[in-house]
Amino acid sequence: RGSPAWHLVEVQLTRSSCYMLSLTTAAAAFASPSLHTAPARRAAPPVAVQSPLESLRAPLQTAAATLFSLGLAAQLTAAPLPASADITKADIIAAEERWGDGIVRVGEIYSKGGDYKSAAKILVDLMYGYDQGPVLFKPTKAAEKEFRVTPGEAYSYFVTGQEVEDKGFAIHPWSKVRFDNKQFLLKGDTAAAMGNYYFTDAKTGEETKVDFTFGYNRDLLGNMRINLHHSSLPYNGGAGPKPAAPALAVAAPAAPAAAPAAKPAAVAVAAPFDAAAAAKSATKAVTGGTAATAGEALMGAGALGLVLNSLL
């Protein structure tokens, strides 16, 4: 209780009590018959008459704003941010699933004529840590611009735009992405994983195998962010790329070996971050315990007061 934060709350509570007293006084004045009796000598001009409700506006607005501020302060000091929570294998696997589902989702939106570029932007912004610091992103299907160190370069790789060579990996489209992790490296709130992931072509059903390495850390709200992503096709013995059938004419399901050749194995690198999961993590970061519950109540009361005040 001796911390500066508690001192601020105590001061705000004292102020809030004063405002509530002012509100009570104003309400009593509003109920007084004298306010409804016109002066004996002459009536004041209509413009000069102040509605009793107007006298309530200022104290109500101040009291409501104070309640809202107190509630927010209580919530923010109720629970520590989980940014230092150790990353587990389960966390990595969950992030991989969100990443893969995001790639598939962008392709589905593209196929249906929807706003796939916005979907890809959300995926990159929420799944990758470009706003946290450097991101080491080396996609598979990039030759002229091999390393994508900015969000714009990452967007372009997935849905085209900034780089001429990009064909839009996420809008291929793919119907499924599955991971086969070979090893994990867990170091507190940072981690890495490597292995193979497989992309299923939504048009042909063929599966392309790609090697990957992902690195992770946590943001200020404790959410998993990708800070390293390297993808490449498996080494083929130096024989060079296998000649692929013209365009997408890979209609021979009986030739599994031709699948990787027919499809220049595209590698995905940005998965749509689950908005619901993000909201849940953010909620856990700023709420918890009785202090947070009280904070929510105060914020609710303050918000209601502001709304009522706007209606006066």
Side-chain angles (χ1 to χ4, degrees):
R1 291 181 60 86
S3 66
W6 275 112
H7 178 68
L8 173 61
V9 171
E10 291 173 350
V11 171
Q12 292 288 7
L13 285 172
T14 302
R15 292 180 178 176
S16 179
S17 299
C18 295
Y19 293 141
M20 295 306 295
L21 179 60
S22 299
L23 182 58
T24 302
T25 303
F30 172 62
S32 175
S34 62
L35 288 178
H36 305 282
T37 305
R41 296 184 178 180
R42 63 183 180 85
V47 178
V49 175
Q50 182 181 26
S51 169
L53 295 178
E54 289 295 330
S55 64
L56 295 175
R57 183 184 296 275
L60 179 57
Q61 181 175 2
T62 304
T66 301
L67 287 173
F68 189 86
S69 298
L70 287 173
L72 181 60
Q75 281 194 313
L76 293 178
T77 58
L81 295 177
S84 60
D86 289 350
I87 295 176
T88 66
K89 291 182 181 180
D91 292 329
I92 293 176
I93 292 172
E96 291 173 345
E97 291 177 353
R98 292 196 299 272
W99 181 85
D101 291 344
I103 292 296
V104 172
R105 180 59 177 161
V106 172
E108 290 176 346
I109 294 175
Y110 170 77
S111 298
K112 296 177 181 179
D115 188 3
Y116 62 94
K117 289 194 174 183
S118 292
K121 185 178 187 304
I122 292 173
L123 181 146
V124 172
D125 290 348
L126 294 182
M127 206 60 196
Y128 286 78
Y130 284 105
D131 59 340
Q132 306 292 314
V135 173
L136 311 182
F137 176 22
K138 196 285 176 189
T140 301
K141 300 180 68 175
E144 297 177 8
K145 190 73 173 180
E146 297 177 77
F147 306 101
R148 306 302 173 95
V149 298
T150 68
E153 294 170 350
Y155 304 150
S156 181
Y157 177 71
F158 290 114
V159 292
T160 74
Q162 183 172 319
E163 304 299 329
V164 177
E165 69 173 326
D166 293 336
K167 299 298 185 291
F169 176 79
I171 60 177
H172 180 81
W174 309 102
S175 61
K176 181 181 178 181
V177 179
R178 67 179 179 91
F179 282 77
D180 180 16
N181 291 289
K182 300 302 183 182
Q183 189 58 278
F184 298 92
L185 178 63
L186 306 177
K187 292 289 185 180
D189 61 353
T190 63
M194 72 173 185
N196 303 115
Y197 45 6
Y198 301 81
F199 300 87
T200 301
D201 191 307
K203 298 177 181 177
T204 67
E206 295 176 359
E207 195 174 65
T208 298
K209 176 183 177 182
V210 183
D211 302 335
F212 77 83
T213 300
F214 275 98
Y216 302 92
N217 62 5
R218 291 192 184 278
D219 62 18
L220 294 178
L221 293 179
N223 297 315
M224 294 275 286
R225 295 294 196 97
I226 297 169
N227 59 12
L228 164 66
H229 186 188
H230 185 282
S231 293
S232 61
L233 294 175
Y235 180 60
N236 63 5
K242 296 180 181 179
L248 294 176
V250 194
K263 277 300 161 191
V267 69
V269 179
F273 187 69
D274 188 342
K280 184 177 180 181
S281 296
T283 300
K284 288 183 178 179
V286 295
T287 61
T290 56
T293 302
E296 290 177 355
L298 287 172
M299 289 181 68
L304 178 60
L306 292 173
V307 171
L308 292 176
N309 182 69
S310 67
L311 298 176
L312 293 178

